[in-house]
Amino acid sequence: MKVIVPPIKSQGIKTKLVPWIKDLTVLANQKGKWIEPFLGTGVVAFNSGYKSAVLNDTNPHIINFYKAVQRKEITPSAMKIYLEKEGKLLSQAENNGYEHYLQVRSRFNSGEFSSYDFIFLSRAGFNGMMRFGSKGNWNIPFCKKPDRFAQAYVTKIVNQVAAVSQVIQPEPDWTFHNKSFAEIIPLATEDDIIYCDPPYYGRHVDYYNGWTEKDEELLFDLLSQTKAKFILSTWHHNDWRENDMIARFWGKFNIVTKDHFYHNGGSIENRRSIVEALVCNFDTAEIKQHNHQKEETPKVQQLEFDWFNQRTALL
């Protein structure tokens, strides 16, 4: 399947896992709303195919960005102008571009919180990481690539903005929230499907508010009580250890697993393969319970809206 790739970049993005997740959403066969309490980059939601959605994240910058795209305040053309301008300044800045990166980061952290600067930082930060300090300030260092925003890269990001702008539905069909997941899950009805991709407990996470064992327990309680069908993304085990939360909480539900490799991350451990798990409260008998890539699987194609070529054709 062709996967719509969002313009926000972050560790743990589920782009390559979207077809696997989509197989389970089809199996769930829900006719109501798509509810996602941990939106993250939005890649799963944008490929869900649902016309009605409740999307939430505790990171206000993610929500503010997608709301601006929804309201047409952020457009492909405006993003192109911004990235070309800031990219040129980055390439000409002292200290191999680092001085301009620091300037944008300081501007963002001063309280401006520009959605455009948010995209710049998420794309120019080290190793594609997204991390905030205790005061909500962006604290990722520069990727040390002064020519980061070359024309081809700008085109790629602009096309991604165009792609998600075609998918995001206007209010009230799609609503974006900046709340706790505990306020979102109870909104689901028996016709809805909930997809949860919380931070992975027991592993290094780059999340706005962090993640604790109490958070995991609260999530378990809420999903155990919901009348909706749900899919939870988590990790099952890696070469060193198992996820204790599987035995403690999630083992009572149906679980399917798949080998996956994370290329980005701040440590060697996080760049090794890991067995991903999808936890469901509905029958998964039609899905292969484990896939160690013994069978040939279709290659995921990343679908990016060709905004530049379409715009040229219309002129």
Side-chain angles (χ1 to χ4, degrees):
M1 66 174 289
K2 292 185 177 181
V3 176
I4 297 168
V5 181
I8 295 176
K9 187 177 182 181
S10 177
Q11 275 187 290
I13 188 170
K14 294 293 189 290
T15 305
K16 292 184 178 180
L17 296 177
V18 164
W20 184 46
I21 297 169
K22 190 70 179 287
D23 284 345
L24 281 177
T25 65
V26 172
L27 191 62
N29 194 31
Q30 294 297 81
K31 304 300 183 183
K33 299 184 294 297
W34 176 270
I35 298 181
E36 196 162 342
F38 309 90
L39 181 62
T41 65
V43 66
V44 179
F46 299 145
N47 290 279
S48 68
Y50 279 68
K51 299 301 182 183
S52 181
V54 177
L55 307 173
N56 177 75
D57 203 279
T58 58
N59 186 329
H61 311 300
I62 290 174
I63 298 303
N64 288 340
F65 174 78
Y66 285 130
K67 278 187 173 180
V69 173
Q70 184 184 46
R71 295 191 294 259
K72 310 300 182 185
E73 294 169 2
I74 290 180
T75 63
S77 58
M79 182 61 71
K80 177 178 182 292
I81 293 170
Y82 168 84
L83 291 177
E84 288 179 343
K85 173 187 174 184
E86 298 297 333
K88 182 177 180 180
L89 293 173
L90 184 72
S91 67
Q92 297 173 347
E94 296 182 2
N95 197 12
N96 208 26
Y98 198 55
E99 291 303 317
H100 185 64
Y101 178 82
L102 290 177
Q103 181 180 338
V104 176
R105 189 173 73 176
S106 297
R107 182 171 69 203
F108 182 83
N109 288 339
S110 70
E112 289 190 19
F113 300 132
S114 162
S115 290
Y116 288 100
D117 286 347
F118 176 57
I119 292 298
F120 176 95
L121 293 170
S122 75
R123 290 294 186 149
F126 175 74
N127 247 335
M129 298 173 68
M130 186 186 300
R131 187 180 66 213
F132 295 84
S134 59
K135 296 182 179 179
N137 290 344
W138 182 276
N139 63 3
I140 295 295
F142 182 40
C143 68
K144 298 182 180 180
K145 297 178 181 178
D147 297 322
R148 180 63 163 167
F149 296 100
Q151 188 59 57
Y153 197 58
V154 170
T155 300
K156 180 178 182 178
I157 298 170
V158 169
N159 285 342
Q160 289 168 348
V161 172
V164 299
S165 70
Q166 298 295 309
V167 174
I168 294 174
Q169 302 297 308
E171 289 187 321
D173 295 326
W174 278 33
T175 58
F176 290 90
H177 303 275
N178 176 217
K179 298 179 179 180
S180 164
F181 69 90
E183 298 179 72
I184 300 300
I185 292 175
L187 300 177
T189 71
E190 62 181 355
D191 295 324
D192 301 331
I193 184 164
I194 303 170
Y195 172 68
C196 288
D197 184 21
Y200 287 3
Y201 179 80
R203 290 176 53 80
H204 176 80
V205 295
D206 57 341
Y207 199 65
Y208 194 75
N209 290 336
W211 191 255
T212 68
E213 188 172 343
K214 288 185 177 180
D215 292 322
E216 189 96 8
E217 184 172 5
L218 176 57
L219 178 60
F220 167 76
D221 290 339
L222 291 168
L223 291 180
S224 296
Q225 296 167 18
T226 185
K227 295 180 180 179
K229 291 182 180 178
F230 75 78
I231 300 171
L232 166 75
S233 282
T234 188
W235 68 287
H236 195 276
H237 67 273
N238 59 20
D239 291 342
W240 294 277
R241 57 199 172 96
E242 297 182 352
N243 180 0
D244 295 337
M245 298 297 106
I246 296 291
R248 182 173 175 184
F249 296 124
W250 306 113
K252 65 175 283 188
F253 298 107
N254 293 318
I255 299 176
V256 294
T257 55
K258 183 180 181 69
D259 283 351
H260 185 55
F261 188 90
Y262 286 105
H263 292 276
N264 54 359
S267 68
I268 296 297
E269 177 181 352
N270 285 346
R271 297 183 191 180
R272 295 289 297 273
S273 68
I274 186 172
V275 175
E276 290 279 326
L278 295 179
V279 181
C280 313
N281 65 343
F282 53 89
D283 185 13
T284 61
E286 295 182 27
I287 300 293
K288 190 182 218 181
Q289 297 303 298
H290 187 70
N291 175 16
H292 280 290
Q293 299 180 342
K294 292 180 180 177
E295 295 182 358
E296 188 71 22
T297 55
K299 185 177 180 181
V300 174
Q301 294 180 296
Q302 296 188 3
L303 177 62
E304 296 180 1
F305 187 89
D306 195 344
W307 178 82
F308 281 91
N309 289 339
Q310 184 183 72
R311 182 173 179 271
T312 301
L314 293 174
L315 293 178

